[in-house]
Amino acid sequence: MLQIYNTLTRQKEYFRPLHEGHVGMYVCGPTVYGDAHLGHARPAITFDLLYRYLMHLGYKVRYVRNITDVGHLEHDADSGEDKIAKKARLEQLEPMEVVQYFTNRYHRDMEALNVLPPSIEPHASGHIIEQIAFVQKILDNGYAYISNGSVYMDVEKYAKDYPYGKLSGRNLEDIKTETRELDGQEEKKHSFDFALWKKAAPEHIMHWPSPWSEGFPGWHMECSTMGTKYLGEEFDIHGGGMDLMFPHHEAEIAQSCAALGHDTVKYWMHNNMITIAGKKMGKSYHNFITLDQFFKGEHELLSKPFSPMTIRFFILMAHYRSTVDFSSEALEAAEKGLGRLQETWNRLMKLQPSDKSTVEIGNLSERCEEAMDDDLNSPIVISHLFESAKIINTIADGKGTISAEDLKQLKDVWRTYVVDILGLRMEETGTEANGSMDALKGAVDMLLNMRLEAKRNKDWTTSDRIRNELTALGFQIKDTKDGFEWTI
Ligand code: ZN
């Protein structure tokens, strides 16, 4: 039975959905004013793994992942201007053109990483009316105040009735000393009060009418609003990166409790961060590498381009709650590992059954499931798969046989875990009804059969020539007991 680590209770808990057979899951999505980088890939892949596994377990999952397009997550340090608005102004674009451009590019990157699209992908800008209503509820309940056209959460008042800081393990005293939020300082009762609605400055081009001012929602409001709109006042899972735990998720809990009188989320899940050469990714370190740069190899920290599947495998090789340190060498190691997985896959798909098995395939399926049930332990799943590679190689090398039943079971486990759950795209050599691939396969097989014939006739010149020329073209040829194997 699936156990997941709940950040709120700080322990692994058995997953029991609120509504039998159904799971509601919300994950904080990207802010779309720039290309997605490695830091975006980790939560996307982590929660894609969870989404895929929940579906494998037979749940009907409603997966909501938002698009933050009001751009208030990070204001420009100098002008205090909304980043999307600033980009739009500089490039003379409609703000929604900027949003659409980067949303399209985000989708393209996610598709390359084989991250499944969510069931609903709501935009913050498309839910302004709902956000205003949510702010109004908090005001009505007395946990917010209006100041100069903006609305702020009254954190001190809230903390008297609810535990503020429970998710990140902070108390109000810690938060008081930690908060250096200067934005709107003169309007707020306390520095740690956060904005639910902000009055727009005249140069601010993204703004909407509200009962308090022409303005825009505060940066935590969209997730409280859209989560409950699409998943109900109580839902199962809320996920995101650990960096969002405070203040974003803490504020979300406060807003929801202040408006509705209770928690909305049963299980909070957070993936750990990716560091680059031991350093946090951040603007001041100049170490942001976009996914596009990875795919093209265009960054000084990269030795070469890395395929999206290598990035995905690299992330899955670590448990989602442990830190991952990126380096070009680590990615090269992941690339080799993925190559070995693909090679084993190719060999497995070509195996022929015999009357009986001389190998023990064991309880591979159960062991993989056990690892996934243990808080999505993908590295253990991968190690089980590599262990079964030994069996596959034994049979492929002619040192053992496998029955049709065992072979089917082995193939099923590999398909289920490698393709469906880990979401790794495997190249199907010759088994896919792919016209050009079949033609290529036919041609190479023909050449290698000619080589076999040449060898039988002791025509070493022809045999070596075919081998060398195919190798030069990028084919890897391996002689086996029954003939040959090749990959590109
Ligand atoms: Zn969020």
Side-chain angles (χ1 to χ4, degrees):
M1 195 181 167
L2 174 61
Q3 279 192 297
I4 49 179
Y5 183 86
N6 190 345
T7 318
L8 191 61
T9 59
R10 291 171 184 75
Q11 59 188 5
K12 276 187 208 169
E13 293 176 17
Y14 283 107
F15 177 68
R16 291 193 178 84
L18 292 161
H19 306 283
E20 208 185 319
H22 293 257
V23 179
M25 165 170 151
Y26 187 94
V27 173
C28 293
T31 308
V32 282
Y33 63 76
D35 272 342
H37 53 75
L38 195 58
H40 289 103
R42 196 165 192 201
I45 291 169
T46 297
F47 293 103
D48 186 56
L49 178 70
L50 175 63
Y51 181 38
R52 286 167 177 272
Y53 192 58
L54 288 168
M55 289 194 291
H56 165 76
L57 294 176
Y59 291 111
K60 203 167 165 359
V61 187
R62 185 180 295 161
Y63 176 17
V64 182
R65 190 185 65 207
N66 66 308
I67 294 280
T68 297
D69 61 352
V70 181
H72 38 229
L73 252 176
E74 285 176 74
H75 286 285
D76 188 273
D78 305 318
S79 63
E81 194 177 356
D82 179 304
K83 289 236 171 173
I84 292 172
K86 187 177 180 187
K87 203 159 188 103
R89 182 172 57 76
L90 292 177
E91 294 175 26
Q92 292 191 306
L93 296 167
E94 159 64 35
M96 285 312 279
E97 275 183 287
V98 177
V99 166
Q100 192 66 57
Y101 176 79
F102 287 112
T103 302
N104 292 347
R105 288 173 70 87
Y106 180 74
H107 287 161
R108 180 205 57 184
D109 290 343
M110 292 303 112
E111 155 70 22
L113 291 170
N114 207 18
V115 166
L116 298 173
S119 332
I120 305 176
E121 192 174 51
H123 286 231
S125 65
H127 295 75
I128 300 296
I129 291 168
E130 290 90 338
Q131 293 185 72
I132 289 170
F134 212 99
V135 174
Q136 189 61 56
K137 268 192 216 163
I138 299 175
L139 273 169
D140 292 346
N141 291 345
Y143 293 110
Y145 57 91
I146 305 165
S147 176
N148 189 30
S150 292
V151 184
Y152 292 99
M153 184 82 184
D154 190 338
V155 171
E156 198 154 62
K157 171 110 193 277
Y158 173 81
K160 286 200 177 94
D161 298 336
Y162 298 93
Y164 185 62
K166 63 178 177 179
L167 181 68
S168 58
R170 288 166 165 84
N171 61 38
L172 195 59
E173 285 311 309
D174 301 335
I175 292 165
K176 278 180 185 169
T177 50
E178 256 179 57
T179 310
R180 281 179 209 88
E181 174 68 62
L182 296 172
D183 190 38
Q185 199 56 38
E186 59 294 340
E187 300 175 358
K188 296 195 279 190
K189 284 192 199 168
H190 294 288
S191 61
F192 48 82
D193 291 346
F194 54 87
L196 304 177
W197 185 266
K198 282 287 282 178
K199 181 180 174 179
E203 68 276 12
H204 206 105
I205 50 177
M206 284 176 96
H207 51 78
W208 294 266
S210 81
W212 317 290
S213 63
E214 187 73 26
F216 53 94
W219 63 281
H220 315 300
M221 189 44 72
E222 64 185 79
C223 292
S224 281
T225 305
M226 301 191 294
T228 51
K229 176 177 166 102
Y230 294 111
L231 298 170
E233 280 197 9
E234 272 190 273
F235 57 91
D236 299 293
I237 299 168
H238 193 313
M242 244 170 67
D243 52 336
L244 295 180
M245 211 190 293
F246 187 86
H248 185 54
H249 291 158
E250 206 73 77
E252 227 185 289
I253 293 176
Q255 290 169 161
S256 299
C257 289
L260 308 165
H262 57 80
D263 271 313
T264 53
V265 177
K266 191 170 176 192
Y267 305 94
W268 281 92
M269 293 177 75
H270 293 92
N271 63 274
N272 212 319
M273 309 314 288
I274 295 184
T275 52
I276 293 191
K279 276 185 189 159
K280 214 179 124 182
M281 277 197 288
K283 292 200 180 54
S284 48
Y285 299 121
H286 302 289
N287 60 4
F288 269 104
I289 310 176
T290 69
L291 292 170
D292 203 45
Q293 286 170 325
F294 273 104
F295 304 159
K296 291 177 180 155
E298 288 168 356
H299 193 281
E300 55 186 22
L301 291 171
L302 299 172
S303 57
K304 60 197 254 330
F306 290 99
S307 76
M309 280 307 104
T310 299
I311 306 279
R312 186 172 178 111
F313 191 65
F314 169 69
I315 287 172
L316 292 172
M317 274 167 66
H319 185 251
Y320 76 92
R321 284 194 291 118
S322 47
T323 51
V324 164
D325 192 45
F326 156 81
S327 65
S328 229
E329 296 78 55
L331 266 191
E332 280 170 33
E335 190 176 51
K336 280 207 186 90
L338 183 65
R340 274 196 293 142
L341 202 72
Q342 173 74 59
E343 243 170 68
T344 312
W345 171 276
N346 294 348
R347 299 191 104 188
L348 172 63
M349 293 306 150
K350 279 190 212 152
L351 288 187
Q352 295 300 323
S354 303
D355 295 340
K356 63 178 181 62
S357 293
T358 60
V359 290
E360 186 60 63
I361 66 163
N363 50 352
L364 179 62
S365 175
E366 288 78 6
R367 282 184 295 147
C368 287
E369 187 171 306
E370 213 174 279
M372 281 304 289
D373 278 349
D374 182 16
D375 195 29
L376 312 180
N377 207 332
S378 54
I380 299 291
V381 174
I382 293 169
S383 74
H384 288 330
L385 290 167
F386 276 128
E387 232 167 84
S388 76
K390 287 180 202 150
I391 297 167
I392 295 164
N393 289 332
T394 304
I395 306 159
D397 293 340
K399 291 175 188 140
T401 59
I402 190 164
S403 70
E405 197 190 328
D406 282 353
L407 181 58
K408 183 183 177 299
Q409 211 185 322
L410 198 55
K411 282 186 181 175
D412 282 350
V413 181
W414 271 68
R415 278 193 199 285
T416 302
Y417 282 90
V418 177
V419 178
D420 299 346
I421 295 172
L422 297 178
L424 296 165
R425 283 193 185 111
M426 289 285 113
E427 288 158 30
E428 306 255 352
T429 44
T431 53
E432 200 108 286
N434 177 328
S436 58
M437 195 60 210
D438 280 354
L440 177 69
K441 185 183 179 298
V444 177
D445 283 350
M446 184 184 74
L447 280 166
L448 288 171
N449 278 320
M450 283 168 73
R451 176 169 168 261
L452 276 183
E453 209 177 296
K455 271 167 80 178
R456 274 197 293 275
N457 297 331
K458 300 202 163 39
D459 177 2
W460 308 117
T461 320
T462 307
S463 153
D464 288 348
R465 186 175 159 202
I466 293 174
R467 185 192 179 95
N468 295 343
E469 290 194 10
L470 282 174
T471 307
L473 286 169
F475 293 93
Q476 283 186 349
I477 297 147
K478 197 172 164 187
D479 292 316
T480 65
K481 184 175 68 100
D482 306 321
F484 51 81
E485 274 178 15
W486 60 268
T487 51
I488 304 176

